[in-house]
Amino acid sequence: MERVLGFGGLFFRSQAPSDLAVWYRDTLGIDLVPTAADQMPWMAEGGATVFAPFAADTDYFSADKAFMLNFRVADLTAMIAQLEAAGIAVKRLDDMPGIGKFAHLADPEGTPIELWEPEAS
């Protein structure tokens, strides 16, 4: 069976796409979509990617949102400090032994974001 190799992109609607793309670049370090052949897209570092449908009535993220973004980070404590210094509210969650550390925030349009520092193996 052929298998996909990973996500090639994530495309979603936005009220202000250019402004939101800049927020993701400036806040989380995700490069803007290239507009010329000599530009590079964001290159994610290797690691686990979890593909997890949730029950329609989950309370793990906002009920008015169909999805939540999850980004792997190397140092959750440092990332939280950086976000809070920029005036972004972050909620630290309980650690999950064997899985890692987690925190939740939202982008300027209310899209839920989870930050995940995988447990070292």
Side-chain angles (χ1 to χ4, degrees):
M1 175 180 137
E2 287 293 318
R3 299 172 55 105
V4 299
L5 302 176
F7 280 102
L10 176 66
F11 309 97
F12 57 98
R13 299 179 197 281
S14 169
Q15 297 299 315
S18 295
D19 292 342
L20 192 59
V22 168
W23 184 88
Y24 275 92
R25 181 197 64 200
D26 295 350
T27 304
L28 299 176
I30 297 173
D31 296 326
L32 300 175
V33 173
T35 57
D38 64 341
Q39 297 173 331
M40 291 292 294
W42 173 53
M43 301 297 284
E45 292 186 27
T49 298
V50 177
F51 185 83
F54 276 66
D57 63 350
T58 186
D59 62 358
Y60 194 65
F61 56 91
S62 301
D64 65 332
K65 300 296 181 182
F67 65 91
M68 174 179 66
L69 302 172
N70 174 291
F71 295 108
R72 279 179 277 109
V73 299
D75 185 337
L76 184 62
T77 301
M79 180 62 90
I80 290 171
Q82 176 181 302
L83 293 166
E84 290 177 338
I88 297 168
V90 180
K91 178 183 177 186
R92 178 70 163 82
L93 305 177
D94 292 335
D95 292 356
M96 294 179 67
I99 306 296
K101 301 174 184 177
F102 296 88
H104 283 178
L105 63 138
D107 74 17
E109 294 189 3
T111 302
I113 297 171
E114 180 171 71
L115 301 177
W116 169 35
E117 179 185 328
E119 191 166 284
S121 50

